[in-house]
Amino acid sequence: MNIPSNEIAEKALLGLLLSNDTCIAELEAQGITADHFHCYQKPFNEISTFAKNGGGDVSLLIMQAHKNETLDEIGGASFYTSLMTEGIISALPKYVQELRQTHGKRLVMQAGQSLAINPENPEAMAQVISGKAEIELANNGSLASIIIERTFDTSNPPDDPPPMVKLGSHGIFSAGNLSALIGDRKNGKSSAEGAVIAAIIAPPYSQGDFLGFTAENPEGKAVVHFDTEQSPADHHNLILRALHRAGIQEPPAWFSSYSLTGLSLAERTRFIDHVCDREAIKHGGLQMVLIDGIADLCANPNDDIESFNLVEKWQNFSVNHHCVVLTVIHLNPGTIKSRGHLGSQLERKAETPLMIKKDAKGISTMYATHARKAHIPENEGFSFQFCDESKMHVSVSQGDRNQARDEVKRNKAADEANKIMAGREPMSYTELCTEIEIVVGVGNRTAKNRIRDWLYDGIITKSTGGQFTLK
C-alpha cells in the first residue's frame, strides 16, 4: 500500500529552513511539526534544532548530524548540501498545503487500518477526525489564498509579462500562456521546435539562423522538453541539431530533454509531472515546457471531456508556474483543422496557435492568424527549407519564397495548358475558352483570365491571325 507523502515538497521546505532565518518560526506558527514529514522526518528534526540554536553554515549542521549519528541514515553530507538549492521562498504556502494534505491522508489511512481490526477503537475514530480536519484546513487555506490572489484591485494590477519568444518583431509566446505549433505530418514542426530551443539556449547576441525566432532566459530558469513521438535516435538528433544551430557543444545546465516513446500513458504523465516539479525546484522556476506530441498525453483526442481536462491542466500549469507551455499537434489528415476535440480546444485556449504549412517546393511557412496578440498573415509569414549543404532547415527570404510560389503557380498553369493544347491545331480565342471551361471545369470569365495569364507568362503565343498555340 502506498503511503501518502510528497518528497518534493518535504525537500523544498528543508531547503527553506536552511536558507531562510524566519522559515522555522513561520512553520511553527502554522502548526507544521515533524509529524507532517514522512520521507525526511529525521532531517527535519536535525535542521529545526540547528535553526533554533542559531543556524549558520551547512558544514556546522553536518557536524551536528554526524555527532548525533544520523548523517549516514539520510545519505551523508551531500544530502544537506543539495538542499541549499531546493527551496523557493514564494512557494512556502504551497508546500505547507501539500504537507497538510498528505499528513491528513496518512492519519486517515492509519486510522482505517486500526478500525478494520476494531471498529469501536476511539483513538482511531479521533484520528480520522484529525486527519479530515487537516485535509480541510489545507483546502480552505488554499481557497482563501486563491480568492485573495484573484480579486480585481485597481491599486495592484498584475504584471503584463513580456514575450519569452518572438518571431521576427512579433511577441508570440509569453509567460503564463499555453501555445501550440500546428501542422500536417512532415511539414517542419520539429524543425521549428528545434529552432525555438536553439534560440533559447544560444549564447547572448548569437548570429545563428533560428528561422526567425529570438528568445532569452536571463534568470536561468528551467527549460524542459519532452518528445512523445519520435524514436530515441530521432529525438537525440533533434537536440544535436538544436545545439549545432545554437553554436554550442553542450546545453546549459537549466535545459533538459527527454524521449518518452515506449512509456505507457500513465507513465508519461507521471514522468512529465515529476520532472517539471524537480526542475522547477532545482532552477528557481520554469521558463518553458515544450511537449512534442500533446495528443500522446490522452487516450483519445476525440473525447471532449478528456481533451478539455488536458488543455485545462496545461493552461493552469502555465499560469501557476508563470511559464510558457508550448505544445506540438498534428492536423487531421487532409484537412486544415488540428487533431480532434483536443486540437479544437487547444486552438481556442492557446495564446498563439502557430500554423506551419509546406508548399510544393518544400518551403514551410509559419504564420498566426488567430493569435491573441500577434497577427502574422500567411503571405507575411516566416519560411524555411531543408538545405542539403547545411543538413538542416534554413531560413528562406520573402523574395525567394515569392519566386518559388510563382514558379509553382506557373508550372501548374503550364500543365493545364499542355493538357488542353498539346498536339492540337492552333485554336481561336472562342475555341480555347470553351476547351478551358470543359477541361478545367471553370466559368467563362475564369477561362478568359487563364488565357490572359498564360500569354503573360509566355506559356502560349498568339499569332497575327488571332490563333493560339503552345509556345
Side-chain angles (χ1 to χ4, degrees):
M1 181 180 294
N2 292 327
I3 298 176
S5 63
N6 191 318
E7 182 178 357
I8 290 175
E10 290 186 25
K11 286 192 75 175
L13 282 173
L14 294 180
L16 286 172
L17 285 173
L18 278 178
S19 61
N20 191 282
D21 295 338
T22 63
C23 187
I24 185 64
E26 291 182 37
L27 292 183
E28 287 183 344
Q30 297 188 54
I32 300 299
T33 67
D35 289 338
H36 287 84
F37 288 75
H38 176 73
C39 304
Y40 301 112
Q41 196 170 90
K42 287 186 178 180
F44 174 77
N45 287 328
E46 288 282 6
I47 295 173
S48 297
T49 302
F50 179 69
K52 290 175 182 177
N53 291 335
D57 188 82
V58 69
S59 61
L60 298 176
L61 170 64
I62 294 170
M63 291 173 61
Q64 171 189 293
H66 178 72
K67 182 179 179 180
N68 294 340
E69 299 182 348
T70 63
L71 192 59
D72 292 339
E73 295 180 39
I74 51 87
S78 61
F79 175 83
Y80 287 116
T81 56
S82 69
L83 291 177
M84 298 304 291
T85 61
E86 290 289 343
I88 309 169
I89 189 65
S90 61
L92 186 143
K94 171 179 177 287
Y95 297 137
V96 168
Q97 175 203 352
E98 291 174 356
L99 255 63
R100 287 196 191 283
Q101 287 273 13
T102 54
H103 180 231
K105 290 176 181 178
R106 284 199 302 275
L107 290 175
V108 172
M109 177 185 288
Q110 292 162 0
Q113 293 170 344
S114 298
L115 290 171
I117 300 172
N118 178 13
E120 303 299 326
N121 186 334
E123 292 181 359
M125 291 296 295
Q127 190 170 326
V128 169
I129 294 171
S130 297
K132 289 183 176 180
E134 185 84 317
I135 294 171
E136 185 176 355
L137 181 61
N139 291 337
N140 289 341
S142 174
L143 180 59
S145 160
I146 290 172
I147 291 173
I148 293 171
E149 289 174 0
R150 295 172 185 268
T151 300
F152 174 77
D153 183 354
T154 55
S155 64
N156 186 30
D159 294 332
D160 188 11
M164 291 184 175
V165 179
K166 291 183 178 181
L167 184 57
S169 61
H170 306 277
I172 56 171
F173 306 143
S174 57
N177 281 288
L178 174 67
S179 286
L181 294 174
I182 305 170
D184 207 353
R185 292 170 294 178
K186 310 304 179 186
N187 269 16
K189 297 186 300 299
S190 292
S191 293
E193 178 188 31
V196 171
I197 293 172
I200 295 174
I201 65 177
Y205 311 110
S206 173
Q207 298 302 306
D209 180 3
F210 304 127
L211 308 185
F213 293 108
T214 54
E216 56 183 12
N217 185 12
E219 297 180 20
K221 293 183 178 180
V223 175
V224 193
H225 170 247
F226 302 100
D227 188 335
T228 71
E229 296 195 326
Q230 300 188 98
S231 69
D234 288 337
H235 160 258
H236 183 78
N237 289 331
L238 183 147
I239 302 304
L240 285 182
R241 284 193 297 273
L243 292 173
H244 176 69
R245 194 182 290 278
I248 56 179
Q249 298 295 317
E250 295 288 338
W254 42 260
F255 173 79
S256 57
S257 178
Y258 308 87
S259 171
L260 304 188
T261 51
L263 299 180
S264 69
L265 172 58
E267 288 171 334
R268 287 193 293 269
T269 301
R270 286 199 304 270
F271 187 107
I272 291 174
D273 291 346
H274 175 77
V275 168
C276 286
D277 280 342
R278 185 192 69 189
E279 294 301 303
I281 290 171
K282 187 187 297 184
H283 299 289
L286 292 166
Q287 179 82 352
M288 177 180 287
V289 175
L290 300 98
I291 304 174
D292 188 348
I294 190 171
D296 291 323
L297 299 186
C298 64
N300 181 6
N302 287 308
D303 183 285
D304 55 348
I305 295 175
E306 185 182 18
S307 298
F308 291 179
N309 287 340
L310 181 60
V311 172
E312 180 184 54
K313 169 186 174 176
W314 286 105
Q315 184 182 31
N316 290 344
F317 183 97
S318 69
V319 173
N320 294 332
H321 285 269
H322 198 62
C323 70
V324 171
V325 174
L326 178 58
T327 63
V328 180
I329 191 167
H330 291 288
L331 295 176
N332 286 322
T335 72
I336 57 172
K337 180 192 172 301
S338 52
R339 189 176 172 195
H341 284 301
L342 176 63
S344 299
Q345 185 69 353
L346 187 57
E347 287 192 48
R348 280 193 288 269
K349 296 296 185 179
E351 175 190 27
T352 303
L354 190 62
M355 306 299 295
I356 305 177
K357 184 177 179 181
K358 183 188 282 189
D359 65 20
K361 295 291 289 183
I363 296 177
S364 298
T365 299
M366 300 179 288
Y367 61 97
T369 54
H370 294 89
R372 200 171 301 151
K373 297 177 182 177
H375 180 77
I376 310 173
E378 184 179 350
N379 63 347
E380 297 177 13
F382 292 76
S383 299
F384 55 89
Q385 186 177 35
F386 190 79
C387 174
D388 291 329
E389 182 179 353
S390 301
K391 293 183 173 55
M392 65 179 184
H393 285 86
V394 298
S395 294
V396 173
S397 69
Q398 182 86 25
D400 289 342
R401 188 177 73 206
N402 291 342
Q403 183 179 345
R405 186 182 292 119
D406 291 344
E407 185 179 344
V408 170
K409 183 179 177 182
R410 187 184 184 284
N411 288 341
K412 182 180 178 181
D415 288 342
E416 282 185 349
N418 274 281
K419 187 175 181 180
I420 294 168
M421 304 176 70
R424 301 279 296 270
E425 294 294 326
M427 304 169 72
S428 69
Y429 185 80
T430 302
E431 289 173 333
L432 182 54
C433 275
T434 301
E435 287 295 315
I436 293 173
E437 291 174 31
I438 295 171
V439 175
V440 182
V442 295
N444 182 258
R445 181 183 295 276
T446 303
K448 290 178 179 179
N449 290 337
R450 285 282 206 284
I451 296 173
R452 180 199 64 201
D453 293 340
W454 292 355
L455 281 169
Y456 179 82
D457 289 335
I459 296 171
I460 62 175
T461 60
K462 180 181 178 182
S463 69
T464 55
Q467 300 292 300
F468 294 87
T469 58
L470 286 172
K471 187 171 182 179

